[in-house]
Amino acid sequence: QVQLVESGGGLVQAGSSLRLSCAPSGRTFSRYAMAWFRQAPGKEREFVAAISWSGGSTDYAGSVKDRFTISRGNAKNTVYLQMNSLKPEDTASYYCAATETSFGRSERDYEYWGQGTRVTVSS
């Protein structure tokens, strides 16, 4: 019953930045841990970043650490993914996910998913 909508994807040049947003539907949103996953063509979906319900704890995949930042906003518990120094290998569809339990790095840890937003990084 929880719906998530991602936005902010697009086509950019290597070295550029993008900010993805994940907005829950409706006004009510409980203590959900949130995460971002991505899936490139022909590849398995992989963990990118996660944040606790309070925003006090975060986790990042080694491939994006020091380049990406996950954060929570105040408007409808919107979650953001700031992506800097983008590389062609970052090209993928990015998915927002939520869980009522503690965050993890596995797809199985999350109950709700957004439709995805495409990010394409050209060289």
Side-chain angles (χ1 to χ4, degrees):
Q1 59 183 358
V2 176
Q3 290 187 311
L4 305 173
V5 180
E6 304 100 328
S7 63
L11 173 63
V12 298
Q13 194 171 1
S16 298
S17 297
L18 279 176
R19 190 191 192 198
L20 305 183
S21 298
C22 176
S25 62
R27 296 181 57 189
T28 303
F29 205 74
S30 59
R31 296 171 59 173
Y32 290 95
M34 307 287 289
W36 289 94
F37 288 78
R38 68 185 182 185
Q39 186 169 25
K43 303 290 185 179
E44 293 184 32
R45 189 169 299 184
E46 64 176 353
F47 170 79
V48 176
I51 189 167
S52 63
W53 67 267
S54 66
S57 298
T58 58
D59 188 26
Y60 298 91
S63 59
V64 305
K65 188 177 181 180
D66 298 326
R67 295 192 298 120
F68 292 8
T69 302
I70 187 170
S71 62
R72 284 185 179 271
N74 294 324
K76 295 184 177 181
N77 289 327
T78 300
V79 176
Y80 304 97
L81 184 68
Q82 178 66 45
M83 306 185 294
N84 298 326
S85 301
L86 284 164
K87 306 174 181 179
E89 49 262 47
D90 293 319
T91 296
S93 290
Y94 284 71
Y95 298 87
C96 179
T99 180
E100 294 179 311
T101 59
S102 59
F103 67 80
R105 293 189 172 192
S106 173
E107 295 177 62
R108 298 181 182 274
D109 294 324
Y110 299 89
E111 294 285 331
Y112 308 100
W113 293 82
Q115 83 289 349
T117 184
R118 299 175 65 185
V119 173
T120 302
V121 184
S122 64
S123 59

